[in-house]
Structures are given as C-alpha cells and as structure tokens.
C-alpha cells in the first residue's frame, strides 16, 4: 500500500497525494467521524452532481472533467476510480429525472449536517476550512481506506 508513512520510512520524498491524505486524516481519526464521512462524502458528491444537473445537464460533466484533471495529477488509480464512480453517480442522477433538484438538495443538506456532527464528535474543524482543495481530497480519503482494506496500491 502506498501511504505517507511507508514513503517516509523508505526515506523517499512523499508524493503529493500521500501528503494530502495524511493531512486530511489528521482531522478524521475518530471511528464515528470516519464512518459518517464514509457515508456522507459519496452522498455529497452525488447530490452536488444532481444539483448541478438541475441547473443544466452539461454542468456536472464539466465539473467532473475538471475534477478528473486534478485527480490525474495525483494518482492514476484515483483518477480511474473517480472516473468510474462519477459515471455511476451520473447514472443515478439521470435516474432521479425531474426530481433531481429536490432529492439532491435534501441529500446535500442532510449529508453536510452529518459531516459537521462528525467533526463535532472529532473535536476538529473540517480540512477544507484551511484549503478548499480538501473538498476534492475527501472522496480520495474514502477510497484510500477502501483500498487499504483490500490491499490495493494507489
């Protein structure tokens, strides 16, 4: 597995993705907060895509494309994983049809409330309060934990 600790132990310079994940992980150590994030982060991404779709069907695809450029700069594994997950989420958004806006708004609000409850439990502020790029790192944090469990390198 590729983690910041592994990279530091080998004496090599840490990759940017590992640095970002390590910093993000500092405010996500409490198991209840982690669990909340594992549920809420994918739901926030889904709901954000749904809200953007309600504005205009092309908008979420532009946002996905931009985010994939960011992920490509960090890790091919994360790039491919996020591309696949984005495709699945867009299928779900299309399935919402004309109800995409109200469904997505409800999910978005509930998921953010859950996130802030998780951070209250954790006792630490969300990482994106320091740097907005952590809004894009959150999904990678969830994936990294999944990849660790199955022994997959990123």
């Amino acid at each position: 597995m590729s983690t910041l600790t592994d990279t530091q132990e080998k004496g090599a310079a840490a990759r940017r993705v590992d640095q970002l994940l390590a910093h993000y992980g500092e405010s996500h150590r409490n198991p209840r907060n982690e669990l909340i994030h594992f549920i809420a982060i994918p739901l926030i991404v889904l709901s954000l895509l749904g809200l953007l779709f309600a504005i205009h069907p092309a908008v979420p695809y532009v946002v996905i494309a931009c985010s994939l450029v960011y992920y490509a700069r960090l890790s091919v594994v994360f790039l491919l994983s996020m591309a696949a997950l984005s495709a699945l989420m867009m299928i779900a958004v299309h399935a919402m049809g004309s109800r995409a806006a109200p469904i997505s708004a409800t999910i978005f609000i509930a998921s953010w409330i859950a996130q802030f409850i998780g951070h209250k439990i954790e006792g630490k502020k969300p990482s994106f309060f320091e740097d907005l790029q952590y809004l894009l790192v959150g999904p990678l944090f969830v994936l990294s934990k999944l990849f660790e469990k199955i022994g997959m390198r990123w």
Side-chain angles (χ1 to χ4, degrees):
M1 261 169 292
S2 176
T3 65
L4 180 59
T5 305
D6 294 341
T7 305
Q8 287 175 334
E9 287 173 2
K10 295 174 187 170
R15 296 180 312 159
R16 181 72 180 139
V17 67
D18 296 324
Q19 293 170 342
L20 291 166
L21 289 169
H23 185 267
Y24 190 90
E26 289 173 10
S27 60
H28 300 87
R29 296 189 189 278
N30 181 287
R32 289 183 294 169
N33 187 30
E34 273 193 10
L35 178 61
I36 289 168
H37 278 64
F38 293 160
I39 296 166
I41 287 174
L43 289 175
I44 288 169
V45 174
L46 172 66
S47 62
L48 179 61
L49 293 174
L51 290 168
L52 294 171
F53 183 83
I55 293 168
H56 188 279
V59 175
Y61 292 101
V62 172
V63 170
I64 289 168
C66 292
S67 69
L68 292 178
V69 169
Y70 176 79
Y71 295 135
R73 297 180 56 143
L74 295 176
S75 161
V76 172
V77 173
F78 283 136
L79 165 67
L80 297 174
S81 300
M82 289 305 298
L85 290 172
S86 295
L88 291 173
M89 288 186 180
M90 286 310 299
I91 290 169
V93 167
H94 281 277
M96 292 179 200
S98 64
R99 306 268 311 137
I103 292 170
S104 296
T106 302
I107 293 170
F108 189 83
I109 292 166
S111 296
W112 274 110
I113 290 170
Q115 293 272 77
F116 284 108
I117 290 170
H119 280 285
K120 178 73 171 163
I121 293 167
E122 182 85 39
K124 295 186 179 173
K125 65 182 177 169
S127 300
F128 74 86
F129 281 4
E130 304 176 23
D131 188 339
L132 289 177
Q133 79 175 311
Y134 285 103
L135 291 170
L136 292 169
V137 174
L140 302 185
F141 178 74
V142 173
L143 282 174
S144 72
K145 294 298 185 180
L146 172 64
F147 292 166
E148 284 178 3
K149 288 200 183 303
I150 63 174
M152 187 171 160
R153 299 178 65 88
W154 64 82

